[in-house]
């Protein structure tokens, strides 16, 4: 449910706000940015309260999932409902989007935490994460296939002239959430010790490997999101591939689904850090190629390569975070129950960065003169989209990879930490 609903909000919420609800560019940007920021804040808060939850007959996590589901449905419904008034629509959509973000977090954080109960072994948890991510991306694929075809059928050639049609784009919303609403925690509730939240935050923020990993994938995730969230707009207004946008998006998702087992095998064979570098760099030459050689064949090649990099950018940080937690445990053997803070604050930082990039991306199009609902867009819009697809993601990826070079936990360190923890236990 989370992935199908998430694909709709990530792909279509911005175009819905602009063309259906008819709110201004500024209001749409504010709704999307504040909603993302609110969702970012809710992750660590919900994670903290879950660690304080008491056990029930159905466990500690299931009451959160079962209890919030009816309210998620209601908030999601009214998010796509056009109220009869016009003056207060900004407050309407902002309120229900923030409410939806909070409630879906209450569902997905405990759902993700269930992984840790399968096994205490890191290798088995990595494998479980890969299986879970594959099924979640498959759910996103199903949602995008159904919803993409519905949206595409509503934007036929009869609405606009043959060229430069303002086809429905998938928005500058968190396009990386195609597959990004996935793991929040693999080792989430290892201990039931009640700890001061601020104390845990300070200890986690002082751990060097965690800061390095988070900073690196923060830049990388923003780059991936820029490509995905602006890809359909780019195809529509910069290279005139509007008739193929839904199929290109499906290609990205299929590529991501298929490549997750590939990257899981790669990281087991060659190491996680090498897998990260190989997987992330894969997207850079192809996006630049599409900017300079815009045609249908290149677009599908870029879609396949984007899927490969998307899968790597999602699988690798969630496989590397448990290694950081193990390293923290060895450095702080007296500290227990801090695992939730590692995962929830990683989500917080990446979501907050996504919200910032979302707002900046939308405002860039507004400054370039993007005309909502128009069949033809100014030349500055096409130029801006080329920057958002080509130069900007490459700059973010290079920055992230340079930071990742400083990541100190190699395969040798990881195995050493594992042996030390086994001796302590």
């Amino acid at each position: 449910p989370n992935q199908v609903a998430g694909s709709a909000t990530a792909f279509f919420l911005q175009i819905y706000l602009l063309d259906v609800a008819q709110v201004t560019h500024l209001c749409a940007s504010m709704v999307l940015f504040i909603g993302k920021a609110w969702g970012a804040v809710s992750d660590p808060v919900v994670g903290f309260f879950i660690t304080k939850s008491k056990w029930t007959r159905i466990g500690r996590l299931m009451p959160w999932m079962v209890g919030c589901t009816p309210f998620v449905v209601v908030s999601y419904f009214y998010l796509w409902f056009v109220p009869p008034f016009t003056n207060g629509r900004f407050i309407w959509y902002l309120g229900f989007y923030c409410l939806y973000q909070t409630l879906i977090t209450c569902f997905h954080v405990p759902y993700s935490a269930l992984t840790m109960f399968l096994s205490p072994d890191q290798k088995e948890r990595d494998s479980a994460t890969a299986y879970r991510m594959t099924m979640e991306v498959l759910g996103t694929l199903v949602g995008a296939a159904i919803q993409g075809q519905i949206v595409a059928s509503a934007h036929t050639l009869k609405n606009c002239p043959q060229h430069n049609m303002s086809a429905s784009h998938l928005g500058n919303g968190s396009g990386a959430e195609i597959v990004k609403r996935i793991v929040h925690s693999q080792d989430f509730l290892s201990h039931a010790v009640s700890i001061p939240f601020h104390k845990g935050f300070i200890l986690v923020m002082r751990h060097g490997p965690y800061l390095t990993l988070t900073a690196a994938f923060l830049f990388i995730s923003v780059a991936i999101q820029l490509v995905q969230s602006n890809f359909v707009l780019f195809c529509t207004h910069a290279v005139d591939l509007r008739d193929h946008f839904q199929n290109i998006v499906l290609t990205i998702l299929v590529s991501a689904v298929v490549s997750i087992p590939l990257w899981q095998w790669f990281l087991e064979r060659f190491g996680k850090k090498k897998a990260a570098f190989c997987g992330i760099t894969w997207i850079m030459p192809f996006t630049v190629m599409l900017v300079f050689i815009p045609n249908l064949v290149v677009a599908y090649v870029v879609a396949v390569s984007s899927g490969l990099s998307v899968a790597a950018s999602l699988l690798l940080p969630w496989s590397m975070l448990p290694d950081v937690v193990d390293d923290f445990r060895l450095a702080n053997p007296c500290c227990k129950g801090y695992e939730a803070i590692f995962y929830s604050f990683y989500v917080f930082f990446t979501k907050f960065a996504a919200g910032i990039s979302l707002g900046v991306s939308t405002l860039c199009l507004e400054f370039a003169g993007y005309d909502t609902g128009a069949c033809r867009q100014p030349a500055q819009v096409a130029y801006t989209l080329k920057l958002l697809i080509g130069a900007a993601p490459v700059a973010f990826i290079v920055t992230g990879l340079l930071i990742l070079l400083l990541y100190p936990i190699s395969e040798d360190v990881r195995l050493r930490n594992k042996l030390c923890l086994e001796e302590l236990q």
Side-chain angles (χ1 to χ4, degrees), residues 9 82 113 119 164 194 220 226 259 270 281 304 343 356 386 390:
T9 56
V82 181
S119 172
N164 296 319
S194 179
I220 292 170
L226 283 175
S259 60
F270 301 102
T281 55
V304 173
Y343 295 99
I356 294 175
K386 289 180 180 180

Side-chain angles (χ1 to χ4, degrees), residues 231 248-249 251-253 255 298-308:
F231 191 74
I248 293 174
V249 169
T251 303
I252 295 174
L253 295 174
S255 175
V298 175
Y300 277 103
V301 173
V302 171
V304 173
S305 66
S306 297
L308 291 170

Side-chain angles (χ1 to χ4, degrees), residues 108-160:
H108 200 257
V109 167
Y111 159 73
S112 301
L114 292 174
T115 303
M116 66 148 294
F117 292 101
L118 295 179
S119 172
D121 184 76
Q122 180 61 59
K123 184 176 180 180
E124 293 181 352
R125 285 186 302 201
D126 287 344
S127 177
T129 299
Y131 276 103
R132 178 158 53 109
M133 288 176 61
T134 302
M135 297 308 298
E136 291 193 5
V137 176
L138 186 62
T140 303
L141 175 62
V142 172
I146 297 173
Q147 294 155 172
Q149 296 299 326
I150 293 173
V151 173
S153 66
H155 291 266
T156 57
L157 293 178
K158 66 181 181 180
N159 296 326
C160 279

Side-chain angles (χ1 to χ4, degrees), residues 148-261:
Q149 296 299 326
I150 293 173
V151 173
S153 66
H155 291 266
T156 57
L157 293 178
K158 66 181 181 180
N159 296 326
C160 279
Q162 178 69 25
H163 298 289
N164 296 319
M165 168 184 168
S166 181
S168 171
H169 57 80
L170 301 189
N172 289 308
S174 181
E177 286 188 17
I178 294 174
V179 283
K180 198 165 184 85
R181 294 286 306 183
I182 48 158
V183 188
H184 287 75
S185 166
Q186 299 166 20
D187 194 14
F188 198 89
L189 300 174
S190 298
H191 304 278
V193 179
S194 179
I195 60 172
F197 192 74
H198 68 281
K199 182 179 179 181
F201 175 77
I202 293 173
L203 283 174
V204 169
M205 291 302 108
R206 288 177 177 176
H207 195 58
Y210 177 72
L211 295 179
T212 302
L213 183 68
T214 300
F217 278 98
L218 185 149
F219 282 99
I220 292 170
S221 63
V222 169
I224 298 295
Q225 175 182 293
L226 283 175
V227 173
Q228 290 189 326
S229 62
N230 292 284
F231 191 74
V232 176
L233 269 176
F234 174 82
C235 292
T236 301
H237 300 299
V239 294
D240 197 22
L241 294 174
R242 67 187 183 278
D243 295 331
H244 304 277
F245 83 87
Q246 68 273 21
N247 296 326
I248 293 174
V249 169
L250 291 179
T251 303
I252 295 174
L253 295 174
V254 170
S255 175
V257 172
V258 173
S259 60
I260 287 177

Side-chain angles (χ1 to χ4, degrees), residues 351-389:
K351 277 188 177 182
F352 197 77
I356 294 175
S357 64
L358 160 66
V360 172
S361 179
T362 306
L363 291 177
C364 285
L365 292 175
E366 182 180 4
F367 293 148
Y370 182 83
D371 187 6
T372 301
C375 296
R376 296 178 181 272
Q377 298 293 342
Q380 292 87 343
V381 172
Y383 179 74
T384 301
L385 289 169
K386 289 180 180 180
L387 291 177
L388 293 174
I389 285 290

